[in-house]
Amino acid sequence: MTEAVSRPTLEAVAARAGVSRATVSRVVNGGDGVREPLAERVRRAVAELGYVPNQAARSLVTRRHDAVAVVIAEPETRVFADPFFALQLRGISKELTAHDNQLVLLLTEGRDDHARVARYLAGGHVDGALVFSLHLDDPLPGLIHDAGVPTVFGGRPGWGDDGDAAGHTRSTGEGPGVVYVDCDNRGGARAAVRHLVDLGRTRIAHLTGALDQTSAVDRLDGYRDVMAGVPGASDPRLVVESDFTPGGGERAMRALLDRCPDVDAVFAANDLTALGALRVLRASGRRVPEDVAVIGFDDMLPVAMEADPPLTTVRQDIEEMGRLMARLLLRGLADGRDRSAAMAQPPPAGGVILPTTLIRRASA
Amino acid sequence: MTEAVSRPTLEAVAARAGVSRATVSRVVNGGDGVREPLAERVRRAVAELGYVPNQAARSLVTRRHDAVAVVIAEPETRVFADPFFALQLRGISKELTAHDNQLVLLLTEGRDDHARVARYLAGGHVDGALVFSLHLDDPLPGLIHDAGVPTVFGGRPGWGDDGDAAGHTRSTGEGPGVVYVDCDNRGGARAAVRHLVDLGRTRIAHLTGALDQTSAVDRLDGYRDVMAGVPGASDPRLVVESDFTPGGGERAMRALLDRCPDVDAVFAANDLTALGALRVLRASGRRVPEDVAVIGFDDMLPVAMEADPPLTTVRQDIEEMGRLMARLLLRGLADGRDRSAAMAQPPPAGGVILPTTLIRRASA
DNA sequence: ATGAAAGCGCTAACAG
DNA sequence: CTGTTAGCGCTTTCAT
């Protein structure tokens, strides 16, 4: 399959340009401190020979890889049921590419893969990692954190310094805390519920997400924030636990109608759940939004747009979240290199929360 | 952030075990030709020191990377509108992981990125590439093919040796042809249309996909195959060009109802298109499947399952396609290495077509 | 400003 | 079977 002929080396370029390897190296890496005529000769030689630096040789001496691992744990199929993941990846990819970094994708299929991932990260193949931690009890984030690789998390990890209910042990005692990017789940939920209140609804229910994920917990908290502020609105029976799936949404909605036939609004933890609720509502003869208003979360297309009726929902800028994660990591890496200190500092600790916006369509 | 302390080297392990670097290297790489007691000493030293080979140093001499690039061109948002992409990636990842290869993800955002990708691949950073070529006129596959990197394509490239209508120039004259994995688009389409015929439908329409993609062309061909076999069934007005999107499906369906109000069955090029068609059909007062039967393609969840009515569709095993692509590439790479010949042979040329199955739900 | 030289950590002949 | 040796291609002091 075409030429496996060895590609030109620095040596070859140097020879052709009539200079030393060191000079070529300087030109190739930014070219500071090389006089223009010479630099030009080198550039021409590079072009003529089609020289491309050997990354392995370079890494060997610089100890850098210009590569970042993206770790996605997907024990559930949920990750693949919506474009969330793909969009995030796209944002990450854009940012990484803009800074000449490669993206090494690590997909894990359950516990067995944890060791593999941990080993890979600890092995120093990449300069940093972007990790999506979906579940509160996932050991992976801890492992990775312990591996000593600069890391930014996607979504608030369950064991972070933040609104952690209690009991979850931090993976280690050291370090100023984790860095993560998340959307404003709680604020978005508040906006949704407030909108329902403004609509004059009085029996507002919530179908939760899988409560082992911080996003579900935060959305539930947002719902409660608003309900607590409306006299007489709170009613535990209005909260039904679900799992972010359409099937779960159906079951939860049916349970809800059993308990509270007078419900006149539903805030679903995500669009898929809302979809299931919509179907049950329709089957029960109720009209949306006339009898029951429905709001979802994610603005997951085409689901939200193609739902019947089109779904009012809380949008988060998923691609931007990915982009931001990469930017944070890269910045942290650069900082670490600039500091003369021996070891790389992590990026400024703490979480970055991206805003959400309520998208009004027909369902509420 | 924890120890940036330099990790132990082969040298260190050798010293600790009281052997030479070469011996350690042998043990680490399979350990053939090292007597057991010694090997055991080495393994213990490795464990005690937590030694992990430096991949950069290794690649420098072996000229291998145990890494494969996955190139996904996504000029359109379509890739992100469905889990297709994610599933394929999952299949690829599984297979790669099983063979200790890393997955380097290259997402392209249009022409500007082509040069970057081509440079990266030509730069010899990876051992091979898996490329998704979505469009007939996409120059990327050609560039990559020319770059001389062993490659397997996902989906039949438009310029392959196969059912190419005409006119498309091969990127180069050399080589025995490209290797690709695709699903049986044509056969799947035939099965769908045949099912419609068996249902007794006589006015069977087809809403095509974007005809600059081979998958759309092949599905159209499949439709025609069957229609040509049914006396009096063919009617050019029954074929409406669309673009794989719900919006396109709506427009195409409206156009179709204008031309042929008597249509009693629709085979849509994919599930999203079917979704749009469904909506227009419902708005026009027609019942599905009683008045008009509808079949989609992809079995894209949750769209197909959550559609109203649930969609009868043609399923393809997407994850298996990804897996197969990786397997083919890896096999080709291994073959190339085994052969004493100087250059790697590509995997056996030609395409591998995976079967499709008709999934019967309520819409037809 | 440029060149010479010393490795980075590893594998792969080649000896013994 | 094990050790010695010579680089892989590049960056980076250190001289000049």
Side-chain angles (χ1 to χ4, degrees):
Chain A
M1 175 163 247
T2 61
E3 19 158 12
V5 295
S6 54
R7 298 182 295 110
T9 69
L10 251 202
E11 184 82 54
V13 178
R16 174 142 194 147
V19 300
S20 74
R21 300 207 312 267
T23 300
V24 178
S25 176
R26 289 183 187 110
V27 173
V28 170
N29 297 306
D32 3 272
V34 178
R35 248 188 279 265
E36 196 37 54
L38 247 202
E40 184 49 34
R41 276 230 308 280
V42 172
R43 276 191 288 269
R44 182 156 34 235
V46 166
E48 289 170 352
L49 265 37
Y51 169 75
V52 182
N54 180 321
Q55 185 61 42
R58 179 179 282 177
S59 293
L60 186 54
V61 35
T62 61
R63 284 141 187 305
R64 281 177 38 204
H65 301 86
D66 294 318
V68 169
V70 173
V71 183
I72 300 183
E74 35 130 359
E76 323 302 307
T77 51
R78 189 206 152 203
V79 196
F80 287 114
D82 69 55
F84 196 94
F85 158 66
L87 281 172
Q88 206 126 350
L89 223 38
R90 190 225 287 253
I92 291 172
S93 168
K94 278 184 181 167
E95 193 67 24
L96 252 29
T97 294
H99 291 80
D100 271 313
N101 267 266
Q102 294 312 321
L103 192 172
V104 177
L105 187 65
L106 267 30
L107 259 28
T108 74
E109 297 283 342
R111 315 272 144 158
D112 306 340
D113 285 348
H114 289 168
R116 172 178 64 86
V117 170
R119 197 170 348 110
Y120 182 76
L121 292 180
H125 301 278
V126 293
D127 302 325
L130 298 174
V131 179
F132 294 87
S133 61
L134 297 174
H135 299 273
L136 285 180
D137 59 351
D138 195 334
L140 194 57
L143 285 176
I144 291 168
H145 190 238
D146 295 347
V149 188
T151 302
V152 173
F153 289 92
R156 181 166 69 78
W159 41 273
D161 342 22
D162 229 1
D164 191 7
H168 287 291
T169 57
R170 297 274 303 279
S171 71
T172 66
E174 46 100 43
V178 302
V179 183
Y180 68 86
V181 174
D182 206 343
C183 80
D184 185 8
N185 286 304
R186 190 160 182 168
R190 276 199 286 252
V193 180
R194 211 174 285 128
H195 176 64
L196 259 10
V197 171
D198 291 346
L199 250 28
R201 307 293 168 146
T202 56
R203 295 291 285 165
I204 305 174
H206 177 44
L207 310 185
T208 78
L211 291 174
D212 64 337
Q213 304 179 214
T214 57
S215 59
V217 174
D218 293 348
R219 289 170 198 182
L220 171 57
D221 286 345
Y223 164 83
R224 286 187 172 142
D225 288 345
V226 176
M227 296 299 275
V230 180
S234 294
D235 179 346
R237 289 173 309 166
L238 286 170
V239 175
V240 184
E241 188 165 344
S242 187
D243 60 5
F244 284 134
T245 69
E250 283 190 26
R251 280 187 297 277
M253 190 68 221
R254 259 192 294 269
L256 178 63
L257 288 181
D258 267 5
R259 300 187 211 171
C260 312
D262 62 333
V263 63
D264 61 4
V266 173
F267 167 50
N270 73 345
D271 292 345
L272 255 19
T273 302
L275 210 63
L278 241 33
R279 208 162 28 212
V280 170
L281 249 12
R282 196 182 309 131
S284 79
R286 289 168 170 83
R287 291 163 310 158
V288 176
E290 295 83 350
D291 302 322
V292 180
V294 175
I295 299 189
F297 205 112
D298 284 350
D299 194 23
M300 164 176 164
L301 306 169
V303 170
M305 208 106 118
E306 311 300 337
D308 180 26
L311 210 55
T312 291
T313 190
V314 179
R315 170 183 296 169
Q316 46 180 331
D317 190 343
I318 302 171
E319 186 173 331
E320 179 58 23
M321 281 179 60
R323 214 186 199 104
L324 189 56
M325 286 176 68
R327 199 175 306 145
L328 246 33
L329 180 63
L330 257 21
R331 180 149 61 78
L333 295 178
D335 283 0
R337 280 197 284 273
D338 291 347
R339 287 210 207 324
S340 51
M343 43 188 170
Q345 301 288 124
V352 178
I353 308 295
L354 259 24
T356 54
T357 55
L358 187 68
I359 304 295
R360 294 205 48 186
R361 297 209 181 83
S363 71
Chain B
M1 174 163 248
T2 64
E3 20 157 11
V5 296
S6 53
R7 297 183 296 109
T9 69
L10 250 202
E11 185 81 54
V13 177
R16 174 141 196 150
V19 300
S20 72
R21 300 207 312 270
T23 299
V24 178
S25 176
R26 288 183 187 111
V27 173
V28 170
N29 297 303
D32 5 271
V34 177
R35 245 187 281 264
E36 197 37 51
L38 248 202
E40 186 48 34
R41 275 231 306 281
V42 172
R43 276 192 287 268
R44 182 159 31 236
V46 166
E48 288 168 354
L49 265 37
Y51 169 76
V52 183
N54 180 321
Q55 186 60 44
R58 180 180 282 177
S59 292
L60 186 54
V61 34
T62 60
R63 284 145 187 303
R64 280 178 37 204
H65 306 261
D66 295 319
V68 168
V70 172
V71 183
I72 300 184
E74 36 130 359
E76 324 302 310
T77 51
R78 188 206 152 206
V79 196
F80 288 114
D82 70 54
F84 196 94
F85 158 65
L87 280 172
Q88 206 125 352
L89 222 39
R90 190 225 286 252
I92 290 173
S93 168
K94 278 184 182 168
E95 192 68 25
L96 252 30
T97 293
H99 292 80
D100 270 312
N101 267 266
Q102 293 313 321
L103 191 171
V104 177
L105 186 64
L106 267 30
L107 259 28
T108 74
E109 295 285 340
R111 314 272 144 160
D112 307 340
D113 285 349
H114 289 168
R116 172 177 66 85
V117 171
R119 197 172 345 111
Y120 182 77
L121 293 180
H125 300 278
V126 292
D127 302 326
L130 299 174
V131 179
F132 294 87
S133 62
L134 297 173
H135 298 273
L136 285 179
D137 58 351
D138 194 333
L140 195 58
L143 285 176
I144 290 168
H145 189 237
D146 294 347
V149 187
T151 302
V152 172
F153 289 92
R156 181 165 69 79
W159 41 273
D161 344 20
D162 229 2
D164 191 8
H168 287 290
T169 56
R170 297 275 301 279
S171 69
T172 66
E174 45 100 44
V178 301
V179 183
Y180 68 86
V181 173
D182 205 343
C183 81
D184 185 9
N185 286 304
R186 191 161 183 165
R190 276 200 287 252
V193 180
R194 211 174 286 127
H195 176 64
L196 260 10
V197 172
D198 291 346
L199 250 26
R201 309 292 167 146
T202 56
R203 296 291 285 165
I204 304 174
H206 178 42
L207 310 184
T208 77
L211 290 174
D212 65 336
Q213 304 179 214
T214 56
S215 58
V217 174
D218 293 348
R219 289 170 199 184
L220 171 57
D221 286 345
Y223 164 82
R224 286 188 172 138
D225 287 346
V226 176
M227 295 300 275
V230 180
S234 294
D235 178 346
R237 291 174 308 166
L238 286 171
V239 175
V240 184
E241 188 166 344
S242 187
D243 60 5
F244 282 135
T245 70
E250 283 189 24
R251 282 187 296 278
M253 191 66 223
R254 262 192 293 269
L256 178 63
L257 288 180
D258 269 5
R259 298 187 210 171
C260 311
D262 62 334
V263 61
D264 62 5
V266 174
F267 167 50
N270 72 346
D271 293 344
L272 254 21
T273 302
L275 210 62
L278 240 33
R279 206 160 29 211
V280 170
L281 249 13
R282 197 182 308 134
S284 80
R286 287 169 171 83
R287 291 164 311 159
V288 176
E290 294 81 352
D291 303 322
V292 181
V294 175
I295 298 188
F297 205 113
D298 283 350
D299 194 24
M300 164 176 164
L301 306 169
V303 170
M305 209 105 117
E306 311 301 334
D308 180 27
L311 210 55
T312 291
T313 188
V314 180
R315 169 183 296 169
Q316 45 180 330
D317 189 342
I318 302 170
E319 186 173 330
E320 179 59 23
M321 281 178 61
R323 212 186 201 107
L324 189 55
M325 286 177 67
R327 200 175 306 146
L328 245 34
L329 180 63
L330 258 20
R331 180 149 61 77
L333 294 177
D335 283 1
R337 280 198 284 273
D338 291 347
R339 285 207 210 324
S340 50
M343 42 190 172
Q345 301 289 122
V352 178
I353 309 294
L354 259 26
T356 54
T357 54
L358 187 69
I359 304 294
R360 294 205 51 185
R361 296 207 180 85
S363 71

